[in-house]
Amino acid sequence: MFASTIRMALRAIAANLMRSALTVLGIVIGVASVVALVTIGEGATAQVRSEMSAMGDNLLIVRAGAARRPGEPHQDAAPLELEDAFAIAQEIRGIDQAAPSSSMKTIVVQGNTNWSTSVTGTTSAYLPCRSYDIAAGRSFTQTEDNGLKPACILGETVREKLFGNDEALGGIVRIGRTPCPVIGVMAPKGENTMGVDQDDVVLMPIRAFSRRIRGNDDVAQISVSVSDDRSTTAVKASIEALMRDRRQVSPGGMDDFEVRDMKEIASAISEATNVMTGLLSAIAAVSLLVGGIGIMNIMLVSVTERTREIGIRLAIGALRAEVRMQFLVEAAVLSGCGGILGLLLGNAGAYWATRSMDMPFIPSPSIAAVALLFSIGVGVLFGWLPAHRASRLDPMEALRHE
Amino acid sequence: MSARAPVISLRGISRVFGRGESAVKALNGVDLDVAQGEFVAVMGASGSGKSTCMNIIGCLDRPTGGDYFFCGLEVSRLSPDELALIRRHQIGFIFQGFNLLARTTALANVELPLIYQRVPKKERRTRAEEALAAVGLSSRAHHLPNELSGGQQQRTAIARALVTQPSLLLADEPTGNLDSATKVEVMNLLADLNRRRGITIVMVTHEPDMSQFASRQVVFRDGRPVGDSQKEAL
Ligand SMILES: Nc1ncnc2c1ncn2[C@@H]1O[C@H](COP(=O)(O)OP(=O)(O)O)[C@@H](O)[C@H]1O
Ligand SMILES: [Mg+2]
């Protein structure tokens, strides 16, 4: 019975294909935009997440100089020191690593080739903090970490520019005027959110870098990787307390440093994406509503046009509920078809958009299910009145119609 | 002949259309009994209330006055859905204007009552094919009504009325728009059904020739039966 009701509905829809298509346009647009927006949003969130985790999971970054507030005079904050990093590593509980670092744009030379890149002085702790992996060779030893002896680890881009197909390990590159043996090469990480090539780097032990390249002992930032089972918020607070103490910030005074929680930034970005998705979904919901009203309108017309058919069905013994069901199913199938069409269109749109924005395309089955259920629901909701009207017809009068 | 239980029992049935000044009294005190297995021809001038009476007998319309007992059941007390169930299971109705679904093949039209009887698909198909074969229309099963001649449409309508094997067959001018050869064919078909399967038939016709196929003739005038071959015979 139900199967034949659906077949009947499909036949009625096919009989007036053009009109059916125009009727469900609202539903198609509504569903397509919801699906596209949510899918694009999902892609964006996933991308931000993966970039954040590529930067380092549970990463806190300590910098000198607070974010200035409007109207306050800018003070030059004292730079961080190596001892700050050691203090954090020793005194803060719940962290895995703390890596001081300082960077400078410098020309690196190998044979006849030179390449301008960002040289970072740091310690072996930097690699796990920033999720860099050693692809070949090794990281810095503890002696190298604390000593003045030059050594370097190349990012993949730098290795490729300077060595090409040649073996980089055991080679010597000149950084500024300092010859540095290459002890390791890092696995490529690609670009970050801002489009910066994260493999265009050279790492050096920080003391050697300060003494021989940079010329001062300033530490630009300290990367802290928080243990997996610890809350970054709690660790951030204890680092802030420690730094306030070390930098002698008066109680109630403004911090002259900041601790940034990469997780907070990530969640802020995905929250912003969610708000956007929510807003646009509301607009899409309105178009679903308009689509529903379109369906109601056309179903009312259809009931009037098919009064005779309804009369015949009633005359040969259809119950009121069966006539109502027929028109309800027709409305639901109509809007369901619109939903499927919208789903395909929305996914196509999202695919195109994510591809052109270099984001991952993540079609979600749950969104598809929700969109379909929603559009069928719209059909049932707005088909109810016309269906009810059809079921209330008097068989005699319906047969006499026209 | 044994005492046959009345299938239809009309008592003082009246039917008024409209209200006040424009009210039309289509039926005016109809008393009529039809027994199981009878083949009744209802005759009368146009506008004498034949169709109105048929619609009431067929549970499509309700009288404004009087009592109608269908197989002993008081029809005026039944809800629209209960009437629908009687139409579905007991009555086959051949309408004056065929009343076939336009965008639906002859076969599907014949299948329709079986869908509402919830007959499984396969059985539905075979029974519909058999009903079409019985009216000699197998070759046209997959044609739409507008691809069929008047006679073929009429036969499709007959097949649809018969496919449920109703106990009562109502036919409102089933030969109305047929040529004389087809008329005789259709009448033979009905007479055959009455004789072989014992189906009770009430048929409206204004043609005396056609009424001769029936076993009893009732004549309507001004909304009530004025002549009945059965009573005259008594
Ligand atoms: N639905 C209706 N509304 C108003 N008047 C009707 C309706 N149906 C029938 N009539 C009137 O009732 C009378 C009997 O009609 P009907 O039963 O169709 O006659 P017949 O079938 O014998 O030609 C006619 O005067 C007709 O105009
Ligand atoms: Mg008539």
Side-chain angles (χ1 to χ4, degrees):
Chain A
M1 181 75 189
F2 195 68
S4 54
T5 311
I6 290 197
R7 225 171 301 122
M8 229 142 56
L10 285 173
R11 215 171 301 132
I13 290 165
N16 242 322
L17 202 56
M18 187 64 182
R19 187 165 88 181
S20 305
L22 289 174
T23 302
V24 297
L25 207 58
I27 301 278
V28 173
I29 293 171
V31 169
S33 41
V34 173
V35 168
L37 294 172
V38 171
T39 309
I40 294 170
E42 209 111 296
T45 310
Q47 190 187 28
V48 168
R49 283 224 187 88
S50 83
E51 276 165 4
M52 287 300 163
S53 83
M55 190 182 271
D57 275 327
N58 306 333
L59 179 63
L60 296 177
I61 291 179
V62 187
R63 287 176 200 269
R68 274 169 291 151
R69 287 172 205 170
E72 279 187 49
H74 168 65
Q75 306 161 307
D76 272 324
L80 299 172
E81 298 164 355
L82 265 181
E83 283 70 26
D84 291 327
F86 299 148
I88 289 173
Q90 262 168 18
E91 290 176 34
I92 304 294
R93 291 167 157 270
I95 66 173
D96 291 337
Q97 312 274 353
S101 65
S102 173
S103 299
M104 204 168 91
K105 196 91 179 162
T106 311
I107 293 178
V108 181
V109 184
Q110 198 278 318
N112 292 330
T113 330
N114 55 41
W115 180 248
S116 170
T117 185
S118 163
V119 177
T120 297
T122 185
T123 66
S124 54
Y126 189 79
L127 285 92
C129 278
R130 295 303 188 104
S131 299
Y132 279 111
D133 289 324
I134 292 289
R138 57 174 178 84
S139 183
F140 303 123
T141 61
Q142 204 175 348
T143 325
E144 282 166 336
D145 273 348
N146 297 320
L148 295 171
K149 199 171 144 241
C152 67
I153 302 171
L154 305 183
E156 174 58 22
T157 306
V158 180
R159 187 207 64 76
E160 210 271 320
K161 292 290 176 193
L162 296 183
F163 289 94
N165 292 329
D166 297 339
E167 179 58 56
L169 281 183
I172 306 258
V173 295
R174 199 158 48 73
I175 302 176
R177 292 197 190 139
T178 312
C180 267
V182 178
I183 62 160
V185 175
M186 293 184 288
K189 271 174 60 164
E191 292 181 356
N192 70 8
T193 325
M194 324 304 170
V196 176
D197 180 2
Q198 299 176 91
D199 303 319
D200 192 4
V201 290
V202 173
L203 304 186
M204 271 184 83
I206 188 160
R207 284 187 208 272
F209 172 79
S210 300
R211 178 66 57 86
R212 294 163 188 270
I213 315 292
R214 175 100 190 197
N216 65 43
D217 290 337
D218 299 352
V219 169
Q221 58 183 35
I222 301 169
S223 307
V224 180
S225 113
V226 179
S227 308
D228 281 340
D229 54 345
R230 293 304 179 111
S231 119
T232 50
T233 326
V235 173
K236 180 181 167 187
S238 50
I239 293 176
E240 279 168 347
L242 174 71
M243 291 304 292
R244 233 173 268 138
D245 191 38
R246 290 182 60 82
R247 292 168 72 89
Q248 286 152 5
V249 178
S250 55
M254 274 255 294
D255 288 353
D256 62 349
F257 66 94
E258 60 172 344
V259 181
R260 278 212 253 165
D261 184 346
M262 299 321 274
K263 237 186 198 162
E264 268 171 23
I265 296 173
S267 69
I269 292 175
S270 56
E271 197 164 302
T273 319
N274 285 347
V275 169
M276 277 294 274
T277 311
L279 269 175
L280 295 168
S281 298
I283 295 170
V286 171
S287 84
L288 269 185
L289 188 79
V290 173
I293 292 169
I295 287 199
M296 176 152 76
N297 180 37
I298 221 69
M299 289 304 293
L300 283 172
V301 170
S302 174
V303 166
T304 309
E305 279 178 355
R306 287 156 65 191
T307 301
R308 239 182 115 75
E309 175 196 326
I310 296 163
I312 293 170
R313 290 178 183 279
L314 288 170
I316 62 172
L319 299 179
R320 290 177 158 191
E322 289 166 339
V323 170
R324 184 165 56 226
M325 183 55 86
Q326 183 195 338
F327 281 88
L328 267 185
V329 166
E330 200 171 312
V333 168
L334 192 63
S335 59
C337 286
I340 291 173
L341 225 65
L343 205 58
L344 294 176
L345 222 67
N347 270 309
Y351 181 80
W352 175 82
T354 49
R355 275 301 123 99
S356 60
M357 287 191 279
D358 244 347
M359 292 188 322
F361 170 65
I362 308 166
S364 143
S366 61
I367 294 302
V370 166
L372 264 187
L373 280 181
F374 224 87
S375 52
I376 290 173
V378 164
V380 170
L381 191 71
F382 289 91
W384 203 88
L385 178 73
H388 184 70
R389 201 169 272 190
S391 74
R392 289 281 135 172
L393 287 174
D394 177 78
M396 246 350 275
E397 277 166 28
L399 279 177
R400 285 172 61 91
H401 194 256
E402 277 172 309
Chain B
M1 286 256 166
S2 63
R4 291 181 292 185
V7 177
I8 299 164
S9 182
L10 302 176
R11 287 289 170 272
I13 292 289
S14 64
R15 179 66 167 101
V16 181
F17 291 107
R19 257 175 223 170
E21 299 276 299
S22 61
V24 177
K25 246 189 174 175
L27 293 179
N28 190 8
V30 178
D31 291 312
L32 185 69
D33 282 314
V34 176
Q36 172 82 52
E38 273 193 294
F39 185 172
V40 183
V42 176
M43 318 244 304
S46 180
S48 58
K50 305 183 296 293
S51 291
T52 306
C53 191
M54 289 293 272
N55 291 336
I56 286 172
I57 292 173
C59 297
L60 280 169
D61 196 11
R62 291 161 183 275
T64 37
D67 294 314
Y68 169 29
F69 297 91
F70 176 81
C71 297
L73 217 64
E74 194 176 348
V75 169
S76 40
R77 301 231 167 139
L78 300 180
S79 72
D81 277 347
E82 285 168 327
L83 293 178
L85 288 176
I86 291 183
R87 294 196 295 270
R88 175 188 296 184
H89 293 289
Q90 314 285 344
I91 299 175
F93 208 121
I94 303 166
F95 300 94
Q96 196 167 1
F98 314 141
N99 278 335
L100 299 173
L101 291 185
R103 279 191 287 258
T104 311
T105 62
L107 185 65
N109 262 294
V110 177
E111 266 187 66
L112 196 60
L114 298 179
I115 290 180
Y116 290 113
Q117 283 195 348
R118 292 181 171 60
V119 173
K121 195 173 174 193
K122 259 199 182 142
E123 186 189 338
R124 213 159 71 204
R125 181 54 56 99
T126 25
R127 277 172 66 178
E129 277 164 356
E130 281 166 12
L132 277 177
V135 297
L137 215 61
S138 295
S139 60
R140 296 298 162 109
H142 299 285
H143 288 251
L144 295 178
N146 62 8
E147 297 163 349
L148 299 174
S149 71
Q152 289 167 334
Q153 290 185 43
Q154 186 66 282
R155 280 187 278 173
T156 308
I158 292 171
R160 183 181 63 187
L162 291 177
V163 76
T164 57
Q165 296 173 345
S167 56
L168 174 64
L169 183 64
L170 303 173
D172 195 351
E173 306 210 19
T175 57
N177 13 27
L178 304 183
D179 59 82
S180 46
T182 322
K183 270 178 196 174
V184 174
E185 228 175 89
V186 167
M187 289 318 298
N188 278 327
L189 186 73
L190 293 184
D192 198 50
L193 282 168
N194 175 246
R195 227 176 307 121
R196 292 235 200 117
R197 293 204 212 159
I199 297 177
T200 311
I201 300 180
V202 181
M203 173 190 76
V204 171
T205 181
H206 56 259
E207 295 168 276
D209 290 356
M210 298 303 129
S211 73
Q212 292 316 306
F213 285 86
S215 52
R216 174 182 168 196
Q217 288 78 28
V218 175
V219 180
F220 268 62
R221 189 183 301 149
D222 297 333
R224 64 151 64 99
V226 292
D228 191 332
S229 63
Q230 195 181 53
K231 284 178 186 157
E232 282 150 22
L234 283 173

